[in-house]
Amino acid sequence: MSAPSVIAEPVPAPIALAASRWRREPFRLFFPLGVLLAWVGVGHWVLYASGVTLTYPGRFHGLVQMQGFAMAFAVGFLLTALPRRTQTQPATYLELAALAVGLVVVTIAGMTERWVIAEAAYAGLLLLLIQFAVRRFLGRAAGRRPPAAFVLLPIAFLQGLVGAFLIATADIESMPLGSGLLGRLLVHQGVFLCLAMGVGSLVLPLMAGAPPPPDLGSTPRETWKAVAYAFAGLLIIVSLGLEHIGFLHSGPLLRGVVVAIGLGVGGGAWRRPARPGLHRQLVWVSAWLMPIGLIAAGLWPDYRLPALHILFIGGFSLMVFGVATHVVVSHLDMNDLAEGRPPVVIALAVLFTLALLARVVADFSATYMIHLGWAAGVWLLGSLLWLLFFGPKLLRR
């Protein structure tokens, strides 16, 4: 049995024939780029823990991971999925180049702490994605409309734009004290929690073998679902605001409950995937580690950072690589891997689990930096093995 594509509806034949494989399947470019950007954001911890460098990564690590690594995978997925859903033209070469350059600029500017340049490039990325989505969902040529949960996408992008502005202007004296911290909350959590719930409502059922969700507005039920998803997105923003003003318990707890309902009920994660395939199981696990990390951060705010790495490592990064694996094996007809336990996916699961455990226990040990170095090192090894295995396949015709 062949693996279901990331979007069930195929691109119409005239469009598919007219576009190159890079335009039809931008994940071929952006998934490897995302791994390379992740090495920049994570590799610094290995260098620092081993004494090679003397500078502390600070905010550079988190922002590069979310604005570089995670955003590259999001771009690759969305640029592949949206034209297939709407049966419209794929991205142009100019759009692909602009987005790729923007991701690189974000990372390099972050490395050199040129935050105005980094956040301007990040905002440019988001604006390009917004126009890309709007033109395909609202254009006359669109064959289908988005699912109800995709109302979370503009909410995610809005948080990214506001967060980028607050980070870029944080050092201006007229800005409110702590505005940069709020900006990082929006970028680190708000953007990808909304993307995970929005995209998860499409990906999780498809990976389980279910049909794609109906179009927004196709029935009154779908309209009410869109309203519910929009309300969930607003609650995410409210929870971030609550945490920023000092509600360190209720803010993350509210966010965890919203994400659990959004992915559990909306995405169908309340039940295990019916189809075999280790990568499907990993995506299902990651869907639950997201709210678990948030709830743990709310229950034990003194250990907020290790708890949030349950969200970042076990939630975001595991879901990113799990969904990316599904996209690759389904689009490249690697049916022998789609429903099995490929060694590379087993290694990824083991190494990411070790990275998560090392990072969580670091705060309880007397060798904090050594634990961080090991966590970064095994995470990098897992991503390297994934890229070595799938990278050549992404480049072939």
Side-chain angles (χ1 to χ4, degrees):
M1 182 182 297
S2 63
S5 174
V6 67
I7 293 293
E9 300 82 7
V11 176
I15 295 177
L17 291 174
S20 74
R21 71 183 189 277
W22 297 104
R23 292 180 57 209
R24 291 194 314 269
E25 298 173 333
F27 67 85
R28 292 175 180 265
L29 168 65
F30 288 99
F31 287 1
L33 177 61
V35 176
L36 296 178
L37 298 181
W39 293 350
V40 177
V42 176
H44 201 99
W45 281 114
V46 177
L47 298 177
Y48 184 77
S50 60
V52 175
T53 62
L54 300 178
T55 56
Y56 193 82
R59 60 179 177 175
F60 154 76
H61 164 67
L63 288 176
V64 168
Q65 286 300 94
M66 301 312 298
Q67 295 181 323
F69 154 65
M71 183 55 68
F73 278 87
V75 168
F77 178 87
L78 292 174
L79 264 61
T80 303
L82 295 185
R84 294 180 68 88
R85 174 75 185 196
T86 58
Q87 301 171 6
T88 53
Q89 289 286 346
T92 66
Y93 284 118
L94 181 59
E95 288 172 323
L96 295 179
L99 288 165
V101 170
L103 288 164
V104 173
V105 170
V106 167
T107 303
I108 294 176
M111 289 175 60
T112 57
E113 298 191 357
R114 305 295 179 93
W115 297 113
V116 174
I117 296 175
E119 299 313 309
Y122 179 67
L125 287 172
L126 296 176
L127 291 174
L128 277 172
L129 286 175
I130 291 170
Q131 68 83 28
F132 180 85
V134 168
R135 287 171 55 201
R136 279 149 186 83
F137 283 136
L138 302 183
R140 294 181 179 180
R144 291 199 62 178
R145 300 188 69 192
F150 271 38
V151 299
L152 285 167
L153 268 62
I155 297 176
F157 296 151
L158 176 62
Q159 291 181 81
L161 291 171
V162 174
F165 172 78
L166 293 176
I167 295 169
T169 59
D171 295 331
I172 298 177
E173 291 184 1
S174 59
M175 291 296 293
L177 185 63
S179 61
L181 295 175
L182 177 59
R184 292 201 290 275
L185 274 176
L186 292 168
V187 169
H188 286 172
Q189 298 184 44
V191 172
F192 277 89
L193 288 175
C194 286
L195 286 179
M197 288 192 296
V199 173
S201 71
L202 174 67
V203 172
L204 289 170
L206 284 174
M207 292 183 69
D215 289 1
L216 171 62
S218 58
T219 64
R221 182 172 183 268
E222 294 304 309
T223 301
W224 280 110
K225 284 172 63 177
V227 173
Y229 276 115
F231 183 64
L234 294 177
L235 286 179
I236 292 291
I237 297 175
V238 169
S239 71
L240 293 168
L242 287 173
E243 181 174 345
H244 178 64
I245 62 176
F247 291 89
L248 301 182
H249 291 283
S250 55
L253 288 173
L254 173 60
R255 202 151 58 250
V257 170
V258 170
V259 173
I261 295 173
L263 290 173
V265 179
W270 61 274
R271 56 187 174 190
R272 294 175 64 90
R275 300 190 62 179
L278 179 58
H279 68 280
R280 292 185 173 94
Q281 301 294 328
L282 295 182
V283 172
W284 179 78
V285 169
S286 71
W288 287 112
L289 287 176
M290 289 184 194
I292 288 173
L294 291 167
I295 291 172
L299 292 175
W300 299 286
D302 289 341
Y303 298 100
R304 175 179 175 275
L305 279 180
L308 285 179
H309 277 79
I310 301 175
L311 166 68
F312 295 136
I313 300 175
F316 289 155
S317 66
L318 192 61
M319 178 171 281
V320 160
F321 279 96
V323 171
T325 300
H326 184 73
V327 171
V328 174
V329 299
S330 60
H331 280 260
L332 303 188
D333 295 325
M334 301 167 66
N335 301 328
D336 55 327
L337 302 179
E339 299 187 354
R341 294 175 176 269
V344 66
V345 180
I346 295 175
L348 182 81
V350 171
L351 291 169
F352 276 24
T353 300
L354 291 175
L356 174 59
L357 293 175
R359 179 59 189 89
V360 169
V361 303
D363 288 64
F364 304 92
S365 72
T367 53
Y368 177 79
M369 291 308 307
I370 294 177
H371 276 80
L372 263 58
W374 275 106
V378 295
W379 192 97
L380 288 170
L381 179 58
S383 67
L384 172 63
L385 294 176
W386 188 93
L387 184 60
L388 289 176
F389 182 82
F390 286 110
K393 298 171 176 58
L394 292 170
L395 298 178
R396 74 187 182 190
R397 291 186 179 276

